[in-house]
Amino acid sequence: MLVLKKTKIIATIVRQVRLAVAFGLFCLLLLSGCNPRQFKSQTARGSQLVLATPSDPATFNFAMNTSAYSIFPFIYKGLVRENAITTKLEPALAESWSISPDQLQITVTLREGLKWSDGKPLTADDVIFTYQDVYLNDKIPTVYRDLVRIGNTSAFPSVEKLDRHRVKFILPEPFAPFLRTACTLAILPAHRLRSAVVAKDAKGNPQFLSTWSTDTNPQKIIGNGPYILESYTPSQRLVFRRNPYYWRSDAQGNPLPYIERLIVPIISSTDNQLLRFRSGDLDSLEINPEMFSLVKREEKRGKYIIYNGGPELGIKFVGFNLNKARNAKEKPLVDPIKSRWFNTLAFRQAVAYAIDRESMKNNIYRGLGELQHSPIAVQSPYYLSPEEGLKVYNYNPQKAKQLLLDSGFQYNSKQELLDWDENKVQFTILVKSEENSRIDAAVQIQQDLSKIGIKADLRVLNFNVVLKKLLLSRDWECYVGTFEAGVVEPHRIFPFWYSGGSFHQFNQGSQSGEIPLKGWEVSDWEQEIDFLFNAGVKELDLSKRKAIYHQFQQIVAEELPVFFLVNPLSFQAVRDRVKKIEFSPLGGAFWNLDELKIIEKG
């Protein structure tokens, strides 16, 4: 009890110091001219919205992006969109679509008069270019290729131009989620990007791979969405202005969006974001449990509304690098000694039993969350609950120790865990720097593992650097991360779980354009998951699809490639001057950004 109280006191002091430092940095930002209020005087003639992002964008090229922090929701639209309230598909760039009786042909009709942000016409040629020359081009290693892939085979759809406004997708077999996954992807401008796809760099790769990096003049970035990128100052801000050629208008014929400008300061610290929101510089704030009571207390005085989205829709997990492959220099991606631990099921199970998730929920998330057990969100109709038989791992450090002993591990006189060859069990936990609660979770995992004799070190890095380690160099050991949970359509998580997927982090294979990894192995249970996802996309009967994805969840629970942590409640605060918000747990406060208005009170 004394240790617990001491830990809480230390945590409080650290949090106070963190806020003090954040306040100091905030004052410096005000003095150095990075205050969004300056923009308000510059744009007094029109409305603007100020939203924060924790990280710089990794690229301005949609197809090459792997980061969660990007400009693309503002500047691009796909053929169809998902209504975040009803979850139904609605027309976007396409005004309509039809599906053949055999489910093998989808004909899409574009709206009349569509234009790119530079005023050039957007036609079926752009749709053909986007899918045929980019997403389906095996020379372009885009993660979105997985969402166009038909099942887990090498089969892809073909796409044909019927006329200036119509295209036809031809599928090799029925594929239930095609419209929801493939047709929501951004359509790209052929007139600006085709030459980069055709031209080759010094290595023989398409120049497209390096086109529209973040050092590109923002004026050259062409989109079809509600906004265009006006300026970008690295580590400071992004500025967007309304696209004058955007196709949407309201019932009275007024062009959308209503809001003329978006200011997006880049604020990596959640503490700094909180300070900027409380000072009135931000119009919205994603509220983590640590700050909830403070923000809730000031809701009326601060003139904002807090929206409760219920449990977050993603998964939070800890996982090990199970990759046994070697790189081009014959160096193992993971130290073979550690790889043997990670690939031992009893070791992964012991780690799962060793993590005290109830304490994590109560201490880090202030009780505002629920334990997570599945790769599919609890809100999904495909979710398999523990009551329905899903295997769970409740906190039991004694069982964790026994599993390790039974599988050949041992303890020395200092109660440090040793493996079969008396190697001390020690590894590094990787976590991104932009989310305090995730760092806190990694710290607790470190402490929990020490109780069963495992030494874990922490490495906290910028998220874009973390992604490169996970997906490119693959030089990591343990990772505390998040991923989508497939609320409406479980195939959305296919890139993470498919053995050849572009986000198959725990055993990332070679991707298009990469030198093949040597010695890469796919386990039997990974192959079984591949089979289930392939069966799931072919099955159109809901009850049968549920049974397929229930089996998938059970395999994940049994084999533990990742172990799920806590699913916190999601809260978002938005200034009350922002009107027409239709808050949705699926899309948050700004999924219908086109339709929002800023109304200042007199």
Side-chain angles (χ1 to χ4, degrees):
M1 181 63 70
L2 182 60
V3 174
L4 180 60
K5 288 183 178 178
K6 185 177 180 181
T7 300
K8 289 183 176 179
I9 291 171
I10 292 173
T12 301
I13 293 172
V14 169
R15 192 172 299 114
Q16 291 172 344
V17 170
R18 184 189 291 164
L19 285 169
V21 172
F23 183 73
L25 290 172
F26 170 61
C27 293
L28 287 175
L29 285 171
L30 289 178
L31 292 173
S32 63
C34 297
N35 185 358
R37 288 175 180 172
Q38 293 180 351
F39 286 93
K40 293 184 179 180
S41 61
Q42 296 169 11
T43 58
R45 63 180 179 81
S47 58
Q48 73 173 25
L49 187 68
V50 184
L51 309 171
T53 180
S55 180
D56 287 89
T59 179
F60 294 156
N61 186 331
F62 177 84
M64 302 309 299
N65 183 57
T66 57
S67 175
Y69 310 118
S70 75
I71 66 173
F72 307 118
F74 303 127
I75 72 168
Y76 284 123
K77 292 293 183 182
L79 296 173
V80 302
R81 74 164 189 166
E82 189 173 79
N83 185 302
I85 301 294
T86 67
T87 72
K88 293 181 179 179
L89 294 178
E90 298 178 341
L93 297 177
E95 67 177 12
S96 64
W97 59 88
S98 61
I99 303 174
S100 63
D102 62 4
Q103 305 287 317
L104 297 179
Q105 296 185 23
I106 301 173
T107 301
V108 176
T109 302
L110 296 176
R111 297 175 184 274
E112 293 278 352
L114 290 174
K115 291 184 179 181
W116 292 101
S117 57
D118 61 357
K120 301 294 184 182
L122 190 163
T123 70
D125 291 328
D126 294 294
V127 179
I128 297 295
F129 165 77
T130 298
Y131 286 91
Q132 187 169 280
D133 296 352
V134 179
Y135 298 146
L136 298 176
N137 187 342
D138 59 9
K139 300 295 184 183
I140 296 177
T142 174
V143 297
Y144 302 109
R145 187 176 170 84
D146 281 344
L147 296 179
V148 185
R149 186 191 305 270
I150 306 301
N152 58 13
T153 68
S154 58
F156 291 92
S158 60
V159 56
E160 296 180 359
K161 176 183 176 181
L162 300 180
D163 55 41
R164 182 179 173 84
H165 295 104
R166 291 189 304 147
V167 297
K168 179 190 292 184
F169 293 96
I170 303 172
L171 313 184
E173 58 189 39
F175 186 64
F178 185 80
L179 272 171
R180 195 174 292 274
T181 57
C183 291
T184 53
L185 297 177
I187 300 301
L188 306 176
H191 70 287
R192 283 300 183 95
L193 294 174
R194 190 188 303 279
S195 60
V197 171
V198 174
K200 299 293 188 291
D201 62 18
K203 296 181 180 180
N205 296 317
Q207 289 183 1
F208 180 87
L209 275 59
S210 57
T211 298
W212 286 2
S213 59
T214 53
D215 58 1
T216 303
N217 183 340
Q219 310 302 318
K220 295 183 178 180
I221 308 302
I222 305 302
N224 57 40
Y227 294 92
I228 57 179
L229 181 62
E230 182 173 84
S231 66
Y232 167 53
T233 307
S235 301
Q236 292 189 35
R237 75 180 72 83
L238 294 144
V239 179
F240 300 84
R241 61 182 169 84
R242 186 165 59 192
N243 176 5
Y245 297 104
Y246 188 48
W247 55 271
R248 287 195 72 189
S249 60
D250 65 16
Q252 289 72 43
N254 300 308
L256 297 179
Y258 295 114
I259 299 172
E260 292 190 10
R261 178 175 282 200
L262 305 178
I263 310 298
V264 185
I266 299 163
I267 310 172
S268 60
S269 164
T270 51
D271 292 329
N272 282 347
Q273 288 184 23
L274 173 61
L275 286 169
R276 296 281 286 270
F277 180 75
R278 293 180 69 198
S279 71
D281 287 335
L282 298 178
D283 288 315
S284 180
L285 178 71
E286 291 187 8
I287 304 171
N288 62 43
E290 181 180 348
M291 63 178 71
F292 177 79
S293 60
L294 172 62
V295 179
K296 182 63 179 176
R297 201 162 54 238
E298 298 180 348
E299 185 173 13
K300 185 176 181 179
R301 182 177 63 82
K303 298 180 180 179
Y304 53 80
I305 300 171
I306 296 176
Y307 297 91
N308 182 352
E312 287 186 1
L313 302 181
I315 57 171
K316 295 185 181 294
F317 64 86
V318 58
F320 293 102
N321 191 345
L322 307 182
N323 206 321
K324 300 178 183 179
R326 305 182 304 279
N327 62 22
K329 296 181 180 180
E330 292 291 337
K331 180 182 178 181
L333 299 175
V334 182
D335 181 335
I337 292 174
K338 297 181 181 182
S339 181
R340 187 181 176 192
W341 309 337
F342 302 159
N343 280 283
T344 299
L345 177 58
F347 180 85
R348 301 197 298 274
Q349 290 175 326
V351 168
Y353 281 117
I355 298 174
D356 186 353
R357 295 183 297 165
E358 281 289 346
S359 292
M360 185 178 291
K361 180 184 78 172
N362 293 327
N363 296 336
I364 296 175
Y365 298 105
R366 306 298 193 269
L368 302 174
E370 298 295 336
L371 302 194
Q372 202 159 27
H373 304 290
S374 168
I376 291 181
V378 295
Q379 300 94 328
S380 171
Y382 300 94
Y383 174 69
L384 177 65
S385 69
E387 293 75 21
E388 295 172 301
L390 182 67
K391 183 178 177 65
V392 298
Y393 296 82
N394 294 321
Y395 180 55
N396 191 336
Q398 292 306 315
K399 186 168 185 176
K401 287 183 177 181
Q402 194 59 51
L403 279 167
L404 293 168
L405 292 171
D406 291 346
S407 60
F409 288 86
Q410 55 189 307
Y411 288 93
N412 62 16
S413 59
K414 298 179 180 179
Q415 289 303 298
E416 296 170 323
L417 186 67
L418 308 178
D419 70 5
W420 311 274
D421 300 317
E422 299 189 354
N423 296 299
K424 184 178 176 181
V425 178
Q426 181 173 353
F427 53 80
T428 299
I429 300 175
L430 180 66
V431 63
K432 75 170 189 175
S433 61
E434 292 87 350
E435 186 180 336
N436 290 340
S437 60
R438 199 186 302 191
I439 297 172
D440 292 342
V443 170
Q444 188 197 307
I445 291 170
Q446 179 187 45
Q447 295 170 346
D448 288 344
L449 293 181
S450 70
K451 297 174 184 176
I452 62 168
I454 294 176
K455 168 70 173 175
D457 303 306
L458 289 187
R459 191 172 188 193
V460 183
L461 297 173
N462 172 274
F463 185 54
N464 289 334
V465 177
V466 168
L467 279 177
K468 290 178 181 178
K469 286 188 150 305
L470 293 174
L471 305 178
L472 298 178
S473 64
R474 302 168 176 84
D475 59 337
W476 61 281
E477 296 172 351
C478 179
Y479 174 55
V480 176
T482 64
F483 198 71
E484 187 175 349
V487 178
V488 179
E489 171 49 62
H491 193 70
R492 285 190 185 276
I493 61 177
F494 175 76
F496 188 91
W497 294 103
Y498 166 50
S499 62
S502 53
F503 272 91
H504 193 62
Q505 298 169 0
F506 55 85
N507 188 20
Q508 187 74 54
S510 300
Q511 299 299 298
S512 175
E514 289 187 324
I515 298 174
L517 293 171
K518 300 179 181 180
W520 181 64
E521 298 178 13
V522 178
S523 64
D524 291 343
W525 56 265
E526 285 176 281
Q527 294 180 44
E528 180 64 17
I529 288 175
D530 289 351
F531 173 82
L532 290 171
F533 269 91
N534 193 38
V537 295
K538 294 178 182 177
E539 183 56 66
L540 303 180
D541 181 272
L542 180 59
S543 62
K544 293 180 179 178
R545 284 196 89 198
K546 283 183 179 180
I548 291 170
Y549 292 110
H550 282 184
Q551 191 175 348
F552 151 67
Q553 292 167 80
Q554 199 66 271
I555 291 174
V556 172
E558 293 285 349
E559 299 295 339
L560 283 179
V562 298
F563 177 58
F564 306 108
L565 301 172
V566 175
N567 189 11
L569 299 181
S570 61
F571 298 97
Q572 188 169 3
V574 184
R575 299 288 172 198
D576 58 14
R577 70 190 191 95
V578 184
K579 304 300 183 182
K580 300 189 70 175
I581 285 179
E582 298 180 36
F583 189 84
S584 157
L586 185 62
F590 300 111
W591 71 272
N592 62 331
L593 180 62
D594 299 10
E595 302 159 9
L596 302 186
K597 290 183 176 182
I598 303 294
I599 299 179
E600 303 287 358
K601 294 183 178 180

